[in-house]
Amino acid sequence: QKGMALMAAMVPIHCATQSETVKTQDLCRGSTESDRTIANSIVEGGWVKGLPNDAKHEYLQATFGTKIPTARKYELVNAVPANACDEESDVLDNAADVVGKAVLVQRGGCQFLEKAMKAWASNASMVIIANTETSINRYGCDPRWKGLKVDIPALMVTDRGGEVMIQMEGQVVSFAPSPKVRKDTWLTIDSYRDTTGWAKRKSECKRQLKSLRDEHAEWPDRIAAIEKGYALKTDGPVPAHGEEL
């Protein structure tokens, strides 16, 4: 995009099948500390701006596609079919309406790359996947070269973000990148949403809930995912904020 500053670095990557020392979710890392610093400086996501009532919903970019121009605003359009899965066509049914717009696609029915390719072939300016859970990830494809043709931004929002945006067809949004929105952060949030991250004792779960609420107070999607997991784990009501202990 014209006027955007670009930076690139060749970072050697070392991958291991297992490790007793690496505690991150990804065993492929930069070979040196300086390499890892460069890799970790990449902005992976942010939040959507221009939503009703100044709602703040996060997004993560896919591992393919292009960088989001921060100064650009995007008109939203919903995909037809909603999940962009139609083996009979290489483009969306409403391709003429999608041209130059950010197309919102529902998760499910076919692979992420197929959805993105349909949006790209329909001349969309961006593809947004709405997840079916209060969760986001950096979706990709394997092998990665298959995604090289997608030269538009591709990203994911939570189910909550998708529910808001599907009602905004024809309206305009923009995107605010943030180093605080990262894949690893959401992997941790997911462990609480699916209950695997909680302690065994209910009293300890309450302390975790309070700590997590304080840590992620500015991120409503994360709070919703955490509270959902707490309710599943404890099989009871979620205490109001400030009344956990």
Side-chain angles (χ1 to χ4, degrees):
Q1 297 293 329
K2 184 177 180 181
M4 289 182 65
L6 300 178
M7 181 188 75
M10 295 290 290
V11 178
I13 299 294
H14 173 75
C15 294
T17 56
Q18 59 183 1
S19 175
E20 295 181 359
T21 58
V22 177
K23 301 303 181 182
T24 62
Q25 297 282 346
D26 195 345
L27 293 178
C28 289
R29 309 193 306 159
S31 298
T32 67
E33 187 64 36
S34 60
D35 292 331
R36 291 191 285 274
T37 298
I38 293 173
N40 291 336
S41 69
I42 297 173
V43 176
E44 299 177 336
W47 73 89
V48 187
K49 299 176 66 176
L51 301 181
N53 302 314
D54 292 324
K56 189 175 184 180
H57 291 293
E58 297 173 67
Y59 71 85
L60 279 174
Q61 286 199 244
T63 59
F64 57 80
T66 60
K67 184 177 179 181
I68 302 174
T70 55
R72 181 170 177 175
K73 294 185 177 181
Y74 291 84
E75 181 179 342
L76 294 173
V77 61
N78 297 322
V80 178
N83 63 4
C85 301
D86 180 1
E87 296 180 356
E88 304 300 321
S89 176
D90 292 331
V91 298
L92 297 168
D93 291 356
N94 61 333
D97 298 325
V98 166
V99 176
K101 301 175 184 177
V103 60
L104 181 67
V105 180
Q106 303 301 311
R107 183 174 184 173
C110 57
Q111 296 182 350
F112 292 126
L113 182 59
E114 182 177 338
K115 298 173 187 290
M117 288 295 292
K118 289 277 181 71
W120 171 80
S122 301
N123 293 309
S125 58
M126 171 185 286
V127 57
I128 305 168
I129 306 295
N131 203 355
T132 54
E133 300 278 0
T134 308
S135 173
I136 47 177
N137 62 66
R138 299 196 69 198
Y139 61 87
C141 59
D142 187 27
R144 288 193 175 187
W145 60 263
K146 288 187 174 182
L148 294 178
K149 201 171 184 178
V150 180
D151 60 358
I152 58 175
L155 53 95
M156 176 180 282
V157 295
T158 67
D159 56 346
R160 299 171 77 251
E163 288 167 2
V164 172
M165 297 174 75
I166 199 172
Q167 304 296 328
M168 295 181 62
E169 190 164 38
Q171 298 183 50
V172 174
V173 297
S174 59
F175 298 85
S178 171
K180 295 181 179 180
V181 183
R182 301 193 63 81
K183 175 189 72 174
D184 286 345
T185 300
W186 268 97
L187 286 172
T188 301
I189 296 297
D190 282 343
S191 74
Y192 293 104
R193 181 181 57 83
D194 66 19
T195 75
T196 58
W198 296 99
K200 293 183 179 180
R201 295 172 62 89
K202 189 172 183 178
S203 59
E204 182 58 31
C205 288
K206 287 186 176 182
R207 282 190 283 272
Q208 285 180 292
L209 177 62
K210 183 179 187 309
S211 176
L212 289 166
R213 279 171 162 171
D214 290 342
E215 180 181 356
H216 301 288
E218 64 176 309
W219 305 104
D221 285 330
R222 301 180 197 180
I223 297 298
I226 290 165
E227 291 180 347
K228 178 180 179 180
Y230 178 90
L232 289 172
K233 176 66 177 180
T234 61
D235 194 26
V238 179
H241 190 28
E243 299 179 3
E244 298 91 349
L245 303 178

